[in-house]
Amino acid sequence: MRGLKGLLEANPKLRVFIYAGKGGLGKTTLSAATSVKLSSMGKKTLVFSTDPQASLSDVFEQNVFGKGEVKLAENLYVMEIDADKKINEYVSSIKKKIIDMYKLDKLPPDIEEYIDSAAAEPAMYESAVYDAMVDVVSEGKYDYYVFDMPPFGHGIRMIAIADVISKWVDKITELRKQAYEYGRVAASLKRQKVTYEDEILNELEYIRGRILKFRDIIMNTETTAFMMVMTPERMIILDTEKALEMFQSLGLKLTGIVVNQVYPPELAKKPDAPLYLRKKVEEQRRYMAEIAEKFGKYVVAVTPMLNREPKGLDTLRLVAEELWSPSKKLEDYI
């Protein structure tokens, strides 16, 4: 295992680290630990959560939710977006554009109801996340960006939906262009001037541009490391196999896997270790052998199960060191 250190040495242009995987496997902890390590090296780093269930606030033991970019230590910044707030701002901007475009005093009730209903759709959440992600990376203020992605369902849908939405916007944009062209020709025949700009077309182009930017960030293997988090458990191994198949079908290349929450194998040899713990270690060893066989080429690091919750900077530094330069080989866990 080369650890994050080896990964960066082999890919010096990496600037974005994305941690994906099911909920409860430690994505938030590993994202936080990665940011702690990179910032400790003098690199200005932002760790960013797009998971509605995650809590960087909890891991860092400081409330950062919805407060924008918050500095936690030298070179270490954290941002936990309030997706609901961002959606409300987006909906308000759409309503204002329609009112301004058609010079209305207020929106017709049925239009307003339609927009409010659309805001409750899951796609609106993804859209808010795209915007936030693209915004922070495009600004280029940081040396490194670390993203704690939503659990598999959201994460994979975010990637898949980018392609679906992009094609949909392409189609709508083409229809709008045709309608605009017909309108322009009709106005010309009537010797009228088209003096308005097609605001809807501009809006669609803007949305499409944001989606393509999001895909560029995710798919660029030169600058982005797409990492998956797993634990040595039967169901997680099966889920990871399925996820890899889905990633491949989407054209997404996995950079590496971090196996988290692994008990040190030497625990099983301690005579005073509780029986349940020795059995757990033996069970994990079997699954670690399966992980090595199926995903060995992807495993970048194995991070240990700690005897306390991985919260606070001091504890995160322990995780970060093992993540950065693993103290054991993968074979040592089998």
Side-chain angles (χ1 to χ4, degrees), residues 155-194:
I156 290 174
R157 192 172 65 179
M158 281 173 66
I159 297 159
I161 205 169
D163 190 49
V164 173
I165 293 177
S166 181
K167 288 177 180 172
W168 176 80
V169 171
D170 275 346
K171 184 68 178 174
I172 297 296
T173 301
E174 183 59 31
L175 292 173
R176 291 294 308 175
K177 282 180 178 175
Q178 288 177 10
Y180 179 77
E181 190 62 22
Y182 292 150
R184 191 185 65 79
V185 172
S188 176
L189 290 173
K190 294 177 182 176
R191 298 182 182 278
Q192 296 173 339
K193 284 183 68 177
V194 178

Side-chain angles (χ1 to χ4, degrees), residues 259-273:
V259 189
N260 194 30
Q261 300 173 1
V262 182
Y263 286 101
E266 54 269 23
L267 267 181
K269 298 174 184 174
K270 289 190 174 181
D272 57 340

Side-chain angles (χ1 to χ4, degrees), residues 57-115:
S57 294
D58 189 39
V59 170
F60 282 114
E61 298 183 312
Q62 183 172 329
N63 183 15
V64 296
F65 182 72
K67 295 184 177 179
E69 296 164 44
V70 178
K71 184 176 182 179
L72 292 184
E74 191 65 28
N75 295 313
L76 176 59
Y77 296 79
V78 60
M79 185 162 71
E80 200 167 51
I81 67 162
D82 182 345
D84 289 337
K85 180 182 175 186
K86 200 164 180 62
I87 289 169
N88 288 334
E89 290 172 351
Y90 184 57
V91 167
S92 296
S93 73
I94 290 174
K95 290 178 179 178
K96 185 175 185 308
K97 282 179 182 177
I98 293 175
I99 288 173
D100 292 344
M101 195 184 309
Y102 295 101
K103 304 188 187 313
L104 302 171
D105 293 328
K106 64 176 185 177
L107 278 180
D110 54 338
I111 299 292
E112 183 153 25
E113 186 179 337
Y114 174 78
I115 294 173

Side-chain angles (χ1 to χ4, degrees), residues 36 71 109 130 151-152 174 240 246 263:
V36 167
K71 184 176 182 179
Y130 293 158
F152 269 157
E174 183 59 31
T240 303
M246 282 189 276
Y263 286 101

Side-chain angles (χ1 to χ4, degrees), residues 15 19 42-43 53-54 73 85 98 110 142 147-148 177 193 213-214 234 256 270 272 311 318 330-331 333:
R15 290 292 177 269
Y19 283 99
K43 302 296 183 183
Q53 302 300 321
K85 180 182 175 186
I98 293 175
D110 54 338
Y142 296 89
F147 289 94
D148 174 21
K177 282 180 178 175
K193 284 183 68 177
K213 185 74 176 177
F214 168 76
R234 184 67 194 144
K270 289 190 174 181
D272 57 340
K311 293 182 179 179
L318 298 176
L330 182 56
E331 296 76 24
Y333 290 94

Side-chain angles (χ1 to χ4, degrees), residues 12 28-29 40 47 57 89 99 133 140 150 168 184 211 218-219 221 275 293 297 318 322 334:
T28 305
T29 300
S40 73
V47 58
S57 294
E89 290 172 351
I99 288 173
M133 187 173 182
W168 176 80
R184 191 185 65 79
I211 291 169
I218 295 285
M219 301 295 222
T221 55
L275 180 60
E293 179 188 352
K297 67 177 181 180
L318 298 176
E322 201 65 31
I334 300 172

